[in-house]
Amino acid sequence: MDTTVFDEAERRTWAGRAEAYAAGFAKLCAHPVPLLLDAAGVRQGTRVLDVGTGTGTAAAAACARGAAVAAVDAEPGMVTLAARTAPDAEVRLAALPGLPFPDDAFDAVVGNFVLNHVERPRAALAELHRVTRPGGRIALTVWAAPAAAGQALLGRAVQAAGATRPAHLPALAPDDDFPRTEQGFADLLRTAGFTDASCRTLAWDHRATPEEWWSGPAAGVATIGQTVVSQQPATIAEIRRHYDLLSAEFTGPDGMLVLPHTALLAHGRG
């Protein structure tokens, strides 16, 4: 795999955390899947690639529509989970921007929040364009910026505790980044050669118990989790204290958190 410092940090971040992700954040990320598949035109007989499949939610949903599905992820634990979730899919270990498929191999390519985890999104999209047949469809999601209130909750707790992002988590270089807006995401697809590119904003409320929402960061899942677990125990306790206080803003009568989130769904044709 052709990796960079950013990519290697992503591998370390996710190594061994598939089960912890499945227990929390994966439930949040599952929300756009039906809309993602609709945007990619996934139906009976469609040859589909689910890139960055994670726990296999999109791959399983595509299989349920009668598609012929290949799915890849860079984390072995995710591959194991995805193969269990989507037993009818061909699940392989692979990462952008180097995929083990020939040119024009797929009628549709989907990626649910995968571009959040690559250093060179333009190179990643060029690779996805390569494996999409002419006229085939692509559909991708990323988190919108600025973050919605529910998505910002954990970051606010970290900030209130005075914790900082650890040095082993490099930020995306400005030249590699793109505006996390409808226009910015659609333009990114266009620069990779996709036509009829467009993007819309998805908004929904994610429900979780306070303990479930805390469990991912406490296990080091994603950048927020790596930020939490890299702190001294006293600081982690302070983050948790602020998290509990701030969670009151989102707690419903039944004790569940109701967390507003927004994402961008972009699609185009090869």
Side-chain angles (χ1 to χ4, degrees), residues 4 6-7 10 115-122 165 169-178 180:
T4 66
F6 182 95
D7 293 329
E10 281 286 326
L115 286 189
N116 300 77
H117 302 291
V118 298
E119 181 169 12
R120 293 169 295 175
R122 291 169 183 82
R165 183 184 177 112
L169 294 177
L172 200 63
D175 289 347
D176 291 316
D177 207 352
F178 62 95
R180 307 305 168 103

Side-chain angles (χ1 to χ4, degrees), residues 96 114-129 138 140-143 172-199 264-269:
L96 290 168
V114 66
L115 286 189
N116 300 77
H117 302 291
V118 298
E119 181 169 12
R120 293 169 295 175
R122 291 169 183 82
L125 277 172
E127 179 69 347
L128 296 179
H129 188 272
I138 187 170
L140 304 166
T141 53
V142 297
W143 295 114
L172 200 63
D175 289 347
D176 291 316
D177 207 352
F178 62 95
R180 307 305 168 103
T181 63
E182 292 181 2
Q183 183 70 46
F185 200 10
D187 286 346
L188 189 70
L189 266 64
R190 294 187 188 100
T191 61
F194 291 100
T195 61
D196 299 328
S198 63
C199 181
L264 302 173
L265 169 59
H267 55 90
R269 288 189 178 272

Side-chain angles (χ1 to χ4, degrees), residues 46-50 68-72 90 92 99-110 128-137:
T46 306
R47 298 172 301 162
V48 179
L49 171 63
D50 177 21
V69 181
V72 299
E90 175 195 353
R92 302 171 66 173
L99 297 176
F101 303 108
D103 295 355
D104 308 332
F106 299 100
D107 303 311
V109 173
V110 297
L128 296 179
H129 188 272
R130 181 186 70 79
V131 301
T132 305
R133 69 165 175 81
R137 296 188 184 183

Side-chain angles (χ1 to χ4, degrees), residues 80 98 113 117 127 134 144 179 182 192 216 219 225-226 250:
T80 298
F113 300 111
H117 302 291
E127 179 69 347
E182 292 181 2
Q226 287 292 294
F250 304 96

Side-chain angles (χ1 to χ4, degrees), residues 22-266:
F25 290 163
K27 300 173 186 178
L28 165 72
C29 295
H31 179 88
V33 165
L35 298 174
L36 188 76
L37 299 183
D38 288 347
V42 175
R43 57 186 181 273
Q44 180 78 31
T46 306
R47 298 172 301 162
V48 179
L49 171 63
D50 177 21
V51 62
T53 189
T55 58
T57 302
C63 287
R65 295 187 179 199
V69 181
V72 299
D73 202 276
E75 164 54 28
M78 296 291 190
V79 171
T80 298
L81 278 184
R84 189 187 311 158
T85 303
D88 294 329
E90 175 195 353
V91 186
R92 302 171 66 173
L93 183 69
L96 290 168
L99 297 176
F101 303 108
D103 295 355
D104 308 332
F106 299 100
D107 303 311
V109 173
V110 297
N112 197 30
F113 300 111
V114 66
L115 286 189
N116 300 77
H117 302 291
V118 298
E119 181 169 12
R120 293 169 295 175
R122 291 169 183 82
L125 277 172
E127 179 69 347
L128 296 179
H129 188 272
R130 181 186 70 79
V131 301
T132 305
R133 69 165 175 81
R137 296 188 184 183
I138 187 170
L140 304 166
T141 53
V142 297
W143 295 114
Q151 189 178 353
L153 168 60
L154 292 162
R156 288 171 61 198
V158 167
Q159 184 177 28
T164 58
R165 183 184 177 112
H168 72 270
L169 294 177
L172 200 63
D175 289 347
D176 291 316
D177 207 352
F178 62 95
R180 307 305 168 103
T181 63
E182 292 181 2
Q183 183 70 46
F185 200 10
D187 286 346
L188 189 70
L189 266 64
R190 294 187 188 100
T191 61
F194 291 100
T195 61
D196 299 328
S198 63
C199 181
R200 62 183 170 124
T201 299
L202 308 179
W204 72 99
D205 289 338
H206 178 67
R207 289 173 58 84
T209 68
E211 285 302 322
E212 177 186 301
W213 198 240
W214 174 253
S215 67
V221 175
T223 298
I224 189 67
Q226 287 292 294
T227 300
V228 170
V229 301
S230 68
Q231 310 299 321
Q232 294 297 317
T235 304
I236 295 176
E238 188 67 0
I239 294 171
R240 177 58 197 258
R241 185 178 73 83
H242 283 286
Y243 167 76
D244 290 339
L245 291 171
L246 293 167
S247 291
E249 299 174 23
F250 304 96
T251 303
D254 59 357
M256 296 285 286
L257 297 179
V258 182
L259 301 164
H261 279 74
T262 56
L264 302 173
L265 169 59

